[in-house]
Amino acid sequence: MFFTLMLKLSGVARSFLLGAVCISALPAHSQKKTNIVFIYADDLGYMDTQYNGSDFYETPNLDRLAKENLVFPNAYAGGSNCAPSRACLISGQYNPRTEVYAVNSTSRGPMDKMLLKPVQNKPHLDAGNYTMPMALRAAGYATAIFGKWHIGGRADKTDPANRGFDVVVERNGARDKSVVADPKAVFELTDSAISFMKRNRNQPFFAYIAHHAIHSRHQTRPATYEKFRKKAPGRYHNDVLVAGSIYDLDESIGKLLKSLKDLGLEENTLLIVSSDNGGTHNSIQEPLRGNKGSFYEGGIRVPFIVRWPGKTKPGVNESPVINVDLYPTFVQLANGTLPPGKILDGESLLPLFSGEAATTKRDKIFWHFPGYLDSPVTRGRDTVFRTRPVTAMRKGNFKLLLYHEEWLLKGGYDKRETNNAIEIYDLKSDPGEHVNIANKNPQKRDELVNDLLGWMKDTGAKWPSLKKN
C-alpha cells in the first residue's frame, strides 16, 4: 500500500520543480526497513581520488566501490566550505533558508577590500529546523553521528543530541594517545560506527559518519607518511600529508565495508560516500577550477558513490545532484513523514539509484553566498578572496555565477552586458570554466539570470548592502 509524503513547495519550486515533489513511499517489505550509512569526508575534493584521476593519491577502496557501484560525476556540496554545506545536508534546505553561509563569519579578509557589507552569518542551524535525523528517528530508525557536527552547540540546544541523534560520538584523535596510530580518528570513528551497527542490526539504523579527515591540520600514520614520502609526485598532487590522510580515510572505509558484510548487513543497507566541499588549496583540482571556498567547480563538486545491493547497478549517472537531495531521499526510503510547513529544496534520488529514472525532475540547482572568504584559489577570479559575494546556478550544462559587487554597484540588470557581474560556462564543453560565454548568447544569458533572480526572490535570499560613507 502506498501513501504520500507531502512537502511544502514555494511558488518557484512548483514552476521549476525545484522542491522535492510529493514523494510516494516505498512498498512495505517483510524484512526491516533499509539501513542508511552516509560517509561524509571533510575537504575531500573531486580530484582527490584515483577513480577521478589523481596520479599521486591512492584510494583503492573508493576505486573498487566506484567500479562496482553507481557513481555521480556531477555531484555537488550545498556550500563551498564546512558549516553551510552541513546545514544544507541536515536541513534539506538551501543557504537562504538556513542563513548559514560560512564558518563563523562572512567578513573574512581585509575589510578595506570589501566593497559591500556582507549579510550576517548564522553560526548554527536554528533549533526549530526539523532535521533529517529527526525525521528518520520518527520513522523508527536508530540514529547516530560519528565525528563532525559543526552547526550547533549545547548552549542553544543545536547540538546533535538535541537535533535527532540517539548516539553522538565526537572524537578527534589528537586529544588522546591514539594521535600517532590514528591521528585523524578515522579508525576510532569507524569502529564506533561498526559497534553501533552491530548493536542495532535487528532494527533500521542511520549511521552518519562525518569524518574530520582530510581537513587541516593534515595528519597521517607514520607508515603511511613513509609510503608517500618515497613516491614520485604527480602532475598536480604531491603533498605527502594530504595523500596520507586520504589513504588512511580510504582504509577506514574499507574496514567499514568489510564489517557490513561480516555482520550480514550489506544486502539491506544503502551506503553513500561523499564530501562536504571541494579540495583545499593544498590539493589542486585541475582540470576543475578553484578550491574549497570558491563557487567554481573545484570548490563545490565532490565525489559521490552509491551502493544499494539489489537496486543500484554499476555505472555512471550524469544527472547533477546536490546534498540537499539526501534528506528527501532518506525520508522516502524510511517511509517517513514531515511536519506541516517543512520545506525541502531537494529531490529524492531513489528513482535514479534504482534505475527507474535517468535524470532528476528538476533542472536547476543553486548556491548563495552573500559574503567574503579570504585567501585566493587556483585560477580564481580574485587575488585577495577565495570568493566575493556571489549567487550561482547550474541549469543543464550551463553554470551561472552572478557577482554581487558589480551587479549592485555597476547598474545591475540594465548594465548586464558591460558590468562584469555575470559569468556563464558550458560545463559540457568547458568543465574547467575557462571561457565566459555570457555575452556570446544574450538570449541564454537573460534566461539564466532571470531564473536565478526568480529563485532568489522566492527563497528570500538576502543581498549584501551598500557600505555607508
Side-chain angles (χ1 to χ4, degrees):
M1 184 175 183
F2 289 80
F3 68 92
T4 301
L5 173 64
M6 301 298 296
L7 307 180
K8 181 179 178 182
L9 299 179
S10 60
V12 75
R14 288 192 295 270
S15 60
F16 292 162
L17 292 176
L18 168 64
V21 295
C22 299
I23 299 176
S24 297
L26 300 177
H29 295 277
S30 57
Q31 62 180 353
K32 71 181 180 73
K33 293 180 179 180
T34 302
N35 306 310
I36 302 168
V37 175
F38 181 48
I39 301 174
Y40 208 35
D42 195 333
D43 292 358
L44 183 70
Y46 182 83
M47 296 303 300
D48 291 345
T49 61
Q50 274 182 295
Y51 82 87
N52 278 330
S54 176
D55 56 2
F56 184 64
Y57 306 148
E58 297 180 16
T59 52
N61 291 292
L62 288 177
D63 297 346
R64 183 169 60 253
L65 193 66
K67 182 179 180 180
E68 297 175 353
N69 295 281
L70 183 60
V71 175
F72 287 79
N74 292 293
Y76 293 92
S80 69
N81 61 348
C82 303
S85 185
R86 292 163 196 273
C88 290
L89 169 74
I90 295 297
S91 70
Q93 298 174 334
Y94 284 125
N95 306 120
R97 302 195 199 277
T98 68
E99 297 186 80
V100 180
Y101 301 116
V103 178
N104 298 324
S105 173
T106 47
S107 299
R108 294 173 59 176
M111 300 294 290
D112 62 328
K113 301 294 185 181
M114 300 178 187
L115 303 184
L116 298 172
K117 182 180 179 181
V119 175
Q120 187 173 357
N121 182 60
K122 285 187 177 180
H124 296 171
L125 183 65
D126 285 344
N129 199 309
Y130 192 78
T131 66
M132 176 206 297
M134 293 172 73
L136 292 176
R137 184 164 66 182
Y141 278 64
T143 59
I145 178 174
F146 305 93
K148 186 172 181 178
W149 176 239
H150 212 48
I151 49 174
R154 293 181 182 178
D156 58 0
K157 295 185 178 181
T158 56
D159 59 304
N162 279 295
R163 308 304 297 131
F165 286 105
D166 302 318
V167 175
V168 178
V169 177
E170 169 60 292
R171 295 300 296 274
N172 200 356
R175 293 182 290 184
D176 58 39
K177 294 180 181 179
S178 68
V179 64
V180 174
D182 188 14
K184 299 299 287 187
V186 291
F187 297 103
E188 181 179 0
L189 294 175
T190 296
D191 288 344
S192 295
I194 292 169
S195 295
F196 166 79
M197 293 187 293
K198 185 175 183 180
R199 292 195 306 271
N200 291 279
R201 62 194 303 178
N202 295 319
Q203 69 176 102
F205 58 76
F206 170 52
Y208 173 34
I209 308 169
H211 283 292
H212 297 279
I214 61 165
H215 193 287
S216 60
R217 137 170 98 99
H218 298 123
Q219 298 167 290
T220 185
R221 297 172 294 176
T224 310
Y225 179 86
E226 286 301 310
K227 171 183 172 65
F228 287 97
R229 186 182 66 81
K230 298 175 182 177
K231 185 174 181 177
R235 182 179 180 187
Y236 297 114
H237 297 156
N238 56 23
D239 191 304
V240 171
L241 287 175
V242 171
S245 186
I246 291 172
Y247 186 84
D248 290 347
L249 171 66
D250 179 85
E251 188 168 318
S252 77
I253 292 172
K255 182 176 184 179
L256 185 134
L257 294 174
K258 182 178 185 302
S259 294
L260 279 173
K261 184 175 182 178
D262 292 345
L263 291 170
L265 296 170
E266 183 180 50
E267 296 301 312
N268 194 39
T269 299
L270 168 65
L271 179 137
I272 298 176
V273 181
S274 191
S275 178
D276 65 343
N277 48 247
T280 69
H281 71 278
N282 303 73
S283 187
I284 294 174
Q285 295 299 295
E286 293 287 1
L288 302 183
R289 181 179 181 179
N291 301 88
K292 171 185 177 179
S294 76
F295 290 85
Y296 294 115
E297 293 292 284
I300 52 177
R301 196 185 289 205
V302 292
F304 196 95
I305 307 171
V306 180
R307 187 183 73 175
W308 190 11
K311 296 289 185 178
T312 56
K313 297 179 180 179
V316 175
N317 188 302
E318 298 284 350
S319 186
V321 299
I322 189 168
N323 70 0
V324 295
D325 295 331
L326 292 179
Y327 191 139
T329 300
F330 294 165
V331 173
Q332 181 185 6
L333 185 65
N335 285 346
T337 58
L338 299 177
K342 173 64 182 181
I343 295 173
L344 291 182
D345 287 316
E347 178 180 324
S348 174
L349 302 178
L350 290 187
L352 277 66
F353 293 173
S354 65
E356 296 174 13
T359 63
T360 55
K361 295 178 181 178
R362 55 99 198 283
D363 63 347
K364 291 174 282 293
I365 54 178
F366 299 88
W367 300 265
H368 182 64
F369 182 74
Y372 297 83
L373 289 178
D374 57 345
S375 302
V377 298
T378 305
R379 286 201 294 118
R381 174 182 170 107
D382 201 282
T383 60
V384 178
F385 297 99
R386 281 181 280 176
T387 189
R388 292 174 184 263
V390 64
T391 303
M393 176 184 75
R394 176 166 176 171
K395 181 179 182 180
N397 289 318
F398 290 100
K399 169 91 169 285
L400 164 68
L401 298 102
L402 180 68
Y403 284 93
H404 299 176
E405 289 182 339
E406 290 85 351
W407 188 259
L408 295 176
L409 298 173
K410 296 184 179 180
Y413 195 87
D414 291 341
K415 299 293 183 181
R416 61 193 181 281
E417 292 186 1
T418 59
N419 61 15
N420 198 37
I422 301 169
E423 294 183 10
I424 296 175
Y425 302 96
D426 183 346
L427 296 179
K428 184 174 183 180
S429 61
D430 182 23
E433 297 169 293
H434 292 274
V435 181
N436 180 6
I437 61 172
N439 289 333
K440 293 183 178 181
N441 187 338
Q443 184 176 359
K444 174 58 68 173
R445 176 199 64 208
D446 293 350
E447 172 198 324
L448 297 175
V449 169
N450 287 327
D451 284 351
L452 183 142
L453 293 175
W455 174 81
M456 292 181 69
K457 181 179 180 181
D458 184 77
T459 58
K462 297 177 179 178
W463 293 88
S465 56
L466 302 180
K467 280 189 171 182
K468 296 180 180 179
N469 295 330

